[in-house]
């Protein structure tokens, strides 16, 4: 295990590099969400940090309904699978023209076609490093599946990156898309009150360890006291304590992280 001092020096260097990279990015990060149920996002987009970020023009979220590109009389966007089996499959002939048309229309000049991600439990698992990479993009497009997923030709034609948020199955990709938006937008300069905050979170650039314990008032509750080091005003000791606690918590709860390539 390397010393706290050398680890903190490396963290400080990474912090400066990260801030420089993020500040050089375009101010507005554009999200395009493709879904059969755009109304699911109503509550999410009207609350808390995401609403504040949208109001200030730091991010923009547009929703597109596959059904609007269906050529059928009833705007049917799904059908039974060839070969039989349960459930329905989202049709290729409405998804592909929908994504191609939206992707070709830039939300503002210079944004480009963006990064196309398909949310699926079969994809590469999202982690903080990938989030940091996506935060440097100008535009992210999120494909939300439903039922038994998309016709395989959607992936073969559009060639999206496939992303999973974990080894479990949701009713659809909408909740996963919200998780991606939430994680990425936190790294957009100006979204958080303190930009340094996101760099110190668990798994993040300035702290690949789990974040250590946090305390606030009251100082004593049901016999449990806030550690003395946090109230003595010595910030050098506080920083040292937090670094040590982060290592300790990671060793206890996620020892697997310590063996990952490039962790330190």
């Amino acid at each position: 295990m390397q010393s706290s001092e050398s680890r903190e020096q490396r963290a400080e260097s990474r912090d400066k590099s990260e801030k420089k990279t993020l500040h050089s990015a375009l101010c507005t990060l554009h999200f395009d969400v493709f879904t059969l149920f755009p109304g699911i996002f109503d509550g999410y987009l009207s609350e808390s940090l995401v609403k504040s970020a949208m109001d200030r023009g730091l991010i923009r979220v547009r929703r597109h309904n596959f059904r609007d590109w269906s050529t059928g009389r009833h705007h049917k966007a799904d059908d039974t699978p060839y070969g039989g089996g349960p459930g329905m499959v989202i049709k290729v002939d409405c998804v592909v023209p929908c994504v191609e048309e939206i992707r070709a229309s830039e939300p503002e000049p210079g944004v480009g076609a963006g990064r196309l991600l398909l949310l699926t439990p079969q994809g590469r698992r999202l982690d903080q490093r990938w989030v940091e990479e996506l935060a440097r993009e100008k535009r992210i497009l999120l494909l939300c599946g439903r039922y038994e997923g998309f016709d395989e030709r959607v992936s073969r034609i559009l060639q999206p990156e496939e992303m999973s948020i974990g080894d479990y199955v949701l009713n659809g990709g909408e909740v996963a898309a919200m998780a991606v938006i939430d994680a990425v937008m936190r790294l957009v300069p100006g979204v958080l009150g303190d930009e340094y905050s996101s760099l110190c979170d668990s798994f993040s650039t300035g702290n690949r360890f789990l974040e250590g314990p946090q305390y606030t008032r009251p100082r004593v509750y049901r016999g449990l006291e806030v550690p003395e080091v946090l109230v003595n005003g010595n910030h050098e000791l506080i920083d040292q304590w937090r670094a040590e606690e982060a290592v300790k918590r990671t060793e206890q709860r996620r020892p697997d992280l310590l063996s990952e390539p490039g962790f330190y």
Side-chain angles (χ1 to χ4, degrees), residues 68-84:
D68 294 338
W69 276 260
S70 174
T71 56
R73 177 181 172 185
H74 301 290
H75 297 285
K76 190 177 176 70
D78 60 316
D79 210 333
T80 55
Y82 276 119

Side-chain angles (χ1 to χ4, degrees), residues 78-264:
D78 60 316
D79 210 333
T80 55
Y82 276 119
M88 304 290 279
V89 177
I90 302 178
K91 292 162 60 67
V92 63
D93 57 355
C94 61
V95 174
V96 168
C98 170
V99 175
E100 288 180 338
E101 180 178 329
I102 296 302
R103 201 173 190 188
S105 61
E106 293 183 304
E108 66 180 52
V111 171
R115 194 95 170 254
L116 181 62
L117 304 172
L118 189 155
L119 286 314
T120 167
Q122 299 180 12
R124 169 188 165 193
R125 190 182 299 183
L126 179 65
D127 60 18
Q128 190 64 24
R129 285 181 172 86
W130 199 358
V131 169
E132 291 165 2
E133 178 185 325
L134 292 173
R136 300 185 182 96
E137 298 291 333
K138 298 176 181 179
R139 184 185 189 189
I140 298 171
L141 303 93
L142 301 166
L143 281 169
C144 303
R146 277 272 155 176
Y147 317 127
E148 297 303 308
F150 293 100
D151 185 305
E152 181 64 21
R153 290 167 292 186
V154 169
S155 289
R156 294 182 66 176
I157 294 170
L158 297 175
Q159 298 188 341
E161 299 175 68
E162 296 192 350
M163 172 187 286
S164 168
I165 62 168
D167 294 341
Y168 49 87
V169 179
L170 302 171
N171 286 327
E174 290 79 13
V175 172
M178 293 180 202
V180 174
I181 294 171
D182 228 51
V184 173
M185 76 168 192
R186 298 179 75 257
L187 304 186
V188 174
V191 169
L192 299 181
D194 183 353
E195 291 175 27
Y196 185 74
S197 174
S198 65
L199 297 175
C200 296
D201 288 337
S202 298
F203 314 113
S204 299
T205 301
N207 174 35
R208 294 299 182 193
F209 295 92
L210 299 184
E211 188 174 9
Q214 298 280 5
Y215 296 88
T216 188
R217 295 176 181 83
R219 185 169 175 179
V220 181
Y221 185 72
R222 294 191 179 182
L224 297 175
E225 296 188 29
V226 175
E228 181 64 29
V229 67
L230 297 177
V231 296
N232 65 15
N234 188 324
H235 291 287
E236 184 177 343
L237 288 179
I238 291 173
D239 289 343
Q240 180 180 344
W241 180 86
R242 285 177 170 162
E244 291 171 351
E245 289 297 313
V247 174
K248 189 185 304 181
R249 178 160 290 193
T250 305
E251 290 175 336
Q252 292 172 345
R253 301 184 181 184
R254 290 293 305 277
D256 57 295
L257 294 174
L258 302 174
S259 59
E260 287 186 1
F263 177 78
Y264 290 100

